[in-house]
Amino acid sequence: MPKQTYFNLPPEKKQRIMDATYEIFITENYEDVNIRDIAKNAGISIGSFYQYFYDKDDLYLYFFNCIEKKYMDKQKEKTSSILFGKETVPIEEVCTKIEIEFNRTWYKVPMEVMQKFYFGEYSKELDAPLMDELMEYKNAGKLKDTVDIQFIFHLYATSMFNILNYFRENNITDENERLEIKQKYYKDIFLNGILKD
């Protein structure tokens, strides 16, 4: 997560950093991006960069997480559920073109960066509303009695990592095919395993 000094910045400066981040990760391979170029494009010094973020991964994951959170909030608003909604809101209805382009870079980041996301603080923060939904369903008696909420929550987060790994290993690059595979898994396997009939 960014340091508090980043959150204390004026909105205009935060916007410059965000714009520079989007631009550089969209146009360059993740491995080729360096702090010097990010700082130069954002109009800040390298020293300032390290006052705001711990490293390149932290910067990338923060802005990726912001987009994912924006999308999940809209999914919840439109369907009353993130996990149990009957329909999926198209990302084009929620995000700007540049946010979508930046979000698509996720499929090309190193696996170590994905691991930091899915097994670290970002995933816990992003998926907290999912935990709330699971608790609501459990309290309403809609989940199987044997369901351990903490375990299911962990399975949900880590399955996303494994699905992306599956896409890479099988060279699945078509966005519609990816979405179909994810939806099938969550509806046919994941939810059927935890919901009462």
Side-chain angles (χ1 to χ4, degrees):
M1 294 294 260
K3 300 175 184 179
Q4 187 58 46
T5 49
Y6 171 77
F7 296 108
N8 293 340
L9 289 174
E12 175 272 326
K13 194 165 190 178
K14 287 196 277 193
Q15 184 69 43
R16 274 198 344 251
I17 293 169
M18 183 179 73
D19 291 343
T21 301
Y22 286 173
E23 180 184 337
I24 201 160
F25 283 104
I26 288 169
T27 57
E28 303 285 336
N29 290 326
Y30 191 92
E31 294 86 344
D32 297 332
V33 173
N34 63 61
I35 303 303
R36 183 178 311 281
D37 292 336
I38 294 168
K40 181 180 175 186
N41 288 358
I44 61 173
S45 69
I46 293 173
S48 292
F49 175 90
Y50 286 108
Q51 287 180 351
Y52 309 144
F53 298 94
Y54 292 95
D55 55 25
K56 177 173 81 170
D57 294 351
D58 187 37
L59 170 83
Y60 179 90
L61 291 175
Y62 172 70
F63 288 113
F64 174 75
N65 193 58
C66 288
I67 293 170
E68 289 291 298
K69 185 172 184 333
K70 179 179 176 180
Y71 177 78
M72 287 176 72
D73 289 348
K74 181 57 85 174
Q75 178 75 24
K76 176 87 173 174
E77 177 190 314
K78 262 192 122 169
T79 66
S80 301
S81 174
I82 298 167
L83 192 56
F84 303 100
K86 300 272 188 233
E87 62 179 290
T88 302
V89 176
I91 194 168
E92 294 80 9
E93 288 183 20
V94 182
C95 299
T96 65
K97 185 178 179 204
I98 196 156
E99 287 172 331
I100 293 169
E101 285 182 53
F102 178 75
N103 191 266
R104 286 180 179 149
T105 66
W106 181 241
Y107 292 103
K108 296 179 183 178
V109 302
M111 293 306 288
E112 299 80 35
V113 177
M114 288 185 174
Q115 285 176 316
K116 281 185 182 181
F117 182 80
Y118 288 115
F119 300 97
E121 61 186 296
Y122 280 110
S123 182
K124 288 177 187 164
E125 178 197 345
L126 181 66
D127 293 335
L130 297 175
M131 175 61 96
D132 294 341
E133 279 192 22
L134 286 170
M135 288 304 296
E136 287 172 21
Y137 268 67
K138 184 165 184 76
N139 292 337
K142 295 180 179 179
L143 299 183
K144 293 179 180 177
D145 296 333
T146 57
V147 168
D148 178 328
I149 296 287
Q150 293 293 331
F151 181 65
I152 292 302
F153 182 72
H154 180 77
L155 283 181
Y156 175 84
T158 57
S159 65
M160 284 301 297
F161 173 77
N162 287 313
I163 288 170
L164 290 172
N165 201 18
Y166 172 80
F167 292 161
R168 284 193 179 186
E169 288 181 7
N170 293 281
N171 199 30
I172 299 171
T173 57
D174 181 77
E175 288 185 37
N176 291 327
E177 185 179 1
R178 287 175 179 162
L179 182 60
E180 187 179 320
I181 289 169
K182 284 197 279 187
Q183 287 176 336
K184 186 166 181 51
Y185 167 75
Y186 285 110
K187 288 182 179 164
D188 296 351
I189 299 172
F190 186 80
L191 293 180
N192 280 340
I194 65 173
L195 291 173
K196 286 184 177 176
D197 296 330

